[in-house]
Amino acid sequence: MRIEVGTRAVAYDDTGEGQPVVFVHGFPHHRKLWAPQLRALSAHSRVIAPDLPGFGESDMPERFSIDAWADGLARFLDALGIERAIIAGLSMGGYITLAFWRLHQDRAAALILADTRAGADSEEGKQKRRETIELARREGPTAVARTLLPGMVGKSTRAREPSVVATMRAMLESASVDSIVGASEAMMNRADATSSLATIDVPTLIVAGEEDVLTPPRESQAMHAAISGSRLEIIPAAGHVSNIERPAAFNQVVSEFLAEL
Ligand code: MLT
């Protein structure tokens, strides 16, 4: 499906009925990252997964920025006629979810923060982004995918689930150079969300893959300590894309969380 949000079209999947849950993908993913959740959770909830502007089948954004994507998410909810939703974000999607909380908290019924962190990039992190940008410009998305993939997928999944690795490789390779560059710059320039964690007063589920090396479980533990009443779930034998590596375990913790709301 596609919907006009301002002057640009956003592609999205929308299935099921009940309380809306909006799933926000990471970098450089698209909405199909959430296919296992849409399949499983649509029995009890309305589950919606947009392609962030610049990714998948959505139009390019006016500018790449985490706050602009968060504002765009609020306008996307307006376009769908949704007042409040549960916002679930993985990694870069989690940065956007935390920005959404800062900018539009009255629109968030609950939060799900998966394999993400609250802090801004370190100097070392920024240097890695510059290298990704250079590689994208010099050799294109396939080279970027080759570099990112080992960190993206956990070691157990890499050893046992070649189909998950293939799915992620195809997803990473589908991103355009402009979007890889734009999103890398957006992440480099994002605000540190640590101080806003204490303001979160809606039910919050934090999920992390045990083997996530990009946003290690200690990041999730720190967010859990800072968000009063939050729930933390560690998914065994899963890496950074825990939702697609161990979908049954991920869906189980999300279903339990949604059922308790
Ligand atoms: C992601 O999966 O969205 C990225 O790993 C986030 C990042 O590079 O900080």
Side-chain angles (χ1 to χ4, degrees), residues 1-229:
M1 279 178 262
R2 276 166 81 81
I3 193 163
E4 293 299 319
V5 178
T7 57
R8 288 165 162 80
V10 170
Y12 67 106
D13 293 324
D14 184 349
T15 178
E17 282 174 18
Q19 187 156 34
V21 189
V22 179
F23 286 97
V24 187
H25 63 77
F27 166 82
H29 310 149
H30 54 61
R31 69 188 194 273
K32 298 301 176 192
L33 179 80
W34 296 111
Q37 283 63 54
L38 266 61
R39 264 196 304 276
L41 303 173
S42 57
H44 301 289
S45 305
R46 179 177 176 190
V47 278
I48 303 165
D51 280 330
L52 287 170
F55 292 95
E57 297 170 309
S58 286
D59 288 350
M60 290 298 269
E62 239 163 75
R63 66 194 169 93
F64 283 91
S65 112
I66 297 296
D67 285 5
W69 273 319
D71 287 338
L73 209 51
R75 291 201 307 271
F76 174 66
L77 292 183
D78 292 341
L80 293 179
I82 295 172
E83 184 54 37
R84 288 180 96 216
I86 298 155
I87 310 293
L90 183 135
S91 197
M92 184 178 79
Y95 309 157
I96 296 167
T97 301
L98 289 172
F100 186 88
W101 174 258
R102 179 165 45 80
L103 298 167
H104 302 283
Q105 51 192 262
D106 51 323
R107 312 289 301 270
L111 304 178
I112 301 175
L113 300 167
D115 295 286
T116 192
R117 58 157 58 88
D121 278 2
S122 62
E123 258 324 301
E124 189 193 346
K126 286 186 179 169
Q127 183 49 33
K128 283 209 178 112
R129 305 258 188 237
R130 289 184 201 105
E131 287 163 16
T132 302
I133 289 171
E134 265 184 51
L135 185 65
R137 287 192 171 131
R138 203 175 57 240
E139 295 180 38
T142 305
V144 173
R146 198 182 315 120
T147 309
L148 294 184
L149 207 50
M152 190 68 61
V153 181
K155 65 178 189 312
S156 299
T157 305
R158 272 183 279 131
R160 292 188 217 130
E161 304 273 1
S163 66
V164 172
V165 179
T167 300
M168 289 313 299
R169 178 180 293 111
M171 203 178 292
L172 268 48
E173 287 179 348
S174 75
S176 71
V177 173
D178 285 349
S179 297
I180 293 170
V181 171
S184 297
E185 287 171 347
M187 289 190 284
M188 260 166 100
N189 295 327
R190 75 185 188 278
D192 190 318
T194 309
S195 63
S196 66
L197 296 179
T199 70
I200 297 177
D201 58 1
V202 293
T204 300
L205 170 66
I206 301 164
V207 190
E210 182 186 29
E211 300 172 359
D212 184 349
V213 292
L214 293 181
T215 45
R218 65 170 181 279
E219 300 285 354
S220 293
Q221 279 148 2
M223 289 191 293
H224 176 50
I227 304 175
S228 157

